[in-house]
């Protein structure tokens, strides 16, 4: 079983085999994946942000509205931000916020170009998060 996954909304619905219309339904599905051995689930919800589900913890991150140039690589950048934060020993909420910032900043770049440090830092300052 994977230690962590980062599906987007459509991929999460495909995995579940049904339409998950609300973030609460996606959270419940991610919790079922946690129960089956996937420790960390990050679900990207496009303009609605990012939801992390791990064990008993749910972290929601709202992202600022940006002028999207490309979605290519946004999910990979998001996941890379999470892994980089974990690797650096950041607290979990900061890892999730870093993931959301990098995924959002990547949308400002053409094609699969990685996000810039300055764009990521600027977006990180604008994020709103909550821990449940």
């Amino acid at each position: 079983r994977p230690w962590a996954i980062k599906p987007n909304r459509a991929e999460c619905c495909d995995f579940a085999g049904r339409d998950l219309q609300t973030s609460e339904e996606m959270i419940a599905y991610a919790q079922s994946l946690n129960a089956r051995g996937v420790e960390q689930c990050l679900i990207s919800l496009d303009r609605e942000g990012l939801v992390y589900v791990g064990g008993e913890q749910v972290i929601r991150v709202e992202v600022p509205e940006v002028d999207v140039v490309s979605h290519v690589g946004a999910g990979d950048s998001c996941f890379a931000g999470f892994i980089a934060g974990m690797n650096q020993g950041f607290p979990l909420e900061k890892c999730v916020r870093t993931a959301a910032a990098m995924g959002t900043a990547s949308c400002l770049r053409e094609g699969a170009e990685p996000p810039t440090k300055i764009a990521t830092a600027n977006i990180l300052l604008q994020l709103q998060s909550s821990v449940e």
Side-chain angles (χ1 to χ4, degrees):
R1 292 183 178 90
W3 169 76
I5 61 171
K6 205 283 325 137
N8 61 33
R9 181 188 308 269
E11 292 166 336
C12 200
C13 292
D14 285 346
F15 294 161
R18 65 182 193 280
D19 190 23
L20 304 170
Q21 295 184 5
T22 66
S23 60
E24 285 70 29
E25 289 175 315
M26 288 188 209
I27 289 167
Y29 179 68
Q31 288 170 327
S32 76
L33 293 175
N34 292 155
R36 290 184 280 178
V38 179
E39 293 180 40
Q40 325 279 331
C41 294
L42 293 107
I43 304 169
S44 55
L45 302 172
D46 197 32
R47 295 185 186 278
E48 294 174 45
L50 182 69
V51 174
Y52 165 87
V53 181
E56 299 294 316
Q57 195 162 32
V58 174
I59 301 172
R60 298 175 194 247
V61 180
E62 294 177 33
V63 297
E65 191 169 321
V66 297
D67 293 326
V68 174
V69 174
S70 174
H71 287 104
V72 175
D76 294 333
S77 293
C78 176
F79 200 53
F82 179 75
I83 299 300
M86 294 294 279
N87 195 38
Q88 293 180 49
F90 291 169
L92 182 59
E93 185 178 1
K94 186 172 181 180
C95 294
V96 177
R97 290 172 59 88
T98 301
M102 285 187 68
T104 303
S106 127
C107 292
L108 302 174
R109 305 277 289 177
E110 189 69 38
E113 289 292 317
T116 65
K117 288 181 182 181
I118 191 79
T120 301
N122 285 335
I123 290 169
L124 192 56
L125 293 173
Q126 299 175 59
L127 298 177
Q128 301 293 321
S129 60
S130 62
V131 179
E132 302 170 20

